[in-house]
Amino acid sequence: MKRWLCVLLALICAFAVTGCGSDATEGTGKEVVLRYNGQNIEIDEVYIYAQTVKEEYESKYGSDVWKQSIVTDDGLEMDAVDAARRQAISKLIKTKTLITKSGEYGISLTASEQKDQDTAAQEFYDKLTDAQIAEVGLELDTVKRVLRESALADKIYDYVMKQSSTEISDEQARMSTFYDMFFECYSEDDYGNITLYSQDKIDEQKKKADAAYESIVEASDGTDMDISFLGSAKELKYAGTHTMSRDDILSTYGQDTLDILYSMSDGEVSTVVETEYGYHIFQMISITDEKATAENKKKLTDAADAEYYDNLMKDWIDELDSGYSYSKSVDMDVYNKIKFDE
């Protein structure tokens, strides 16, 4: 009796593993690429994300991107295929994470939005060849589910980002445009090594800067003028117009020069200003360059929003699946069966 009981228990356990698993994806016979938040993510679902990223890369970089390296948003140089693989999984994880917040935020797709995604799914599916469909066992219902999840995640993302307290002031974003008539006191070799001039040559550069300033004062006669022509006439190697933020000016010229520039009005010309590497005569073109400031404000806002979202996502992923990581959770033997460069 004990022996038969053991056999029966073994059969029940086997049935529970192969036929009655709690995960919706278990028992389908499809290969699992990764497991996240208690769910198996199978190769056909990952394939959809991979195809989306593949289209994005080829649209942005060209169809031959897969033979190249690219620089990611994090500033890392990576093989394009490796970068695309990581991005596809990242999109999937973020989507799965966001949709877990649908109940908390009371967000769902309308019937019309679901219909739109089902139409898009049909279009996506119709573009696939029989070989592609058979390769990963892709079914239309899977495509519909993935696209609906993606659309829902987008709605939740929009809601979440509206809660961000990110606000960049005009002063923080300010970009100033000015002309720098620069009499350098150093030389630079092909490797970027800097050698200061001898004192005699430095003194000579100072005399040239003083003479240039005197010429500007005499020529201006109390009226506004553009001094860039003088810099061009003197063939100054590093003279030019620059558009910089407060931090850029500070790191390039130092605090004293920043104070001088920020005290100037549009069109005003400075006296000769000494910095570590030479002498300058500045003309303020626009203390607040409106176009550049607007562009910088958007850039800073986008960066702050991205940081806010990344921090939220990290916390949420840790809550849902603290053990998840790309390197540890993804079965690369299975994932590599999805080809990006074909």
Side-chain angles (χ1 to χ4, degrees), residues 101-113:
K101 299 295 179 179
S102 60
E104 179 180 342
Y105 297 140
I107 299 174
S108 60
L109 294 182
T110 64
S112 175
E113 289 170 336

Side-chain angles (χ1 to χ4, degrees), residues 17 37 54 70 106 120 146 164 202 237-238 299 318 328 338:
V17 171
N37 190 27
K54 180 179 179 181
I70 65 167
V146 170
S164 170
I202 290 175
K237 185 176 181 180
Y238 298 110
K299 178 182 176 182
D318 285 343
K328 295 179 180 179
I338 298 175

Side-chain angles (χ1 to χ4, degrees), residues 82 85-86 89-90 324-330 332 335:
D82 290 341
R85 286 193 182 282
R86 287 180 176 272
I89 296 298
S90 177
Y324 170 77
S325 73
Y326 178 83
S327 59
K328 295 179 180 179
S329 304
V330 177
M332 295 307 298
Y335 192 18

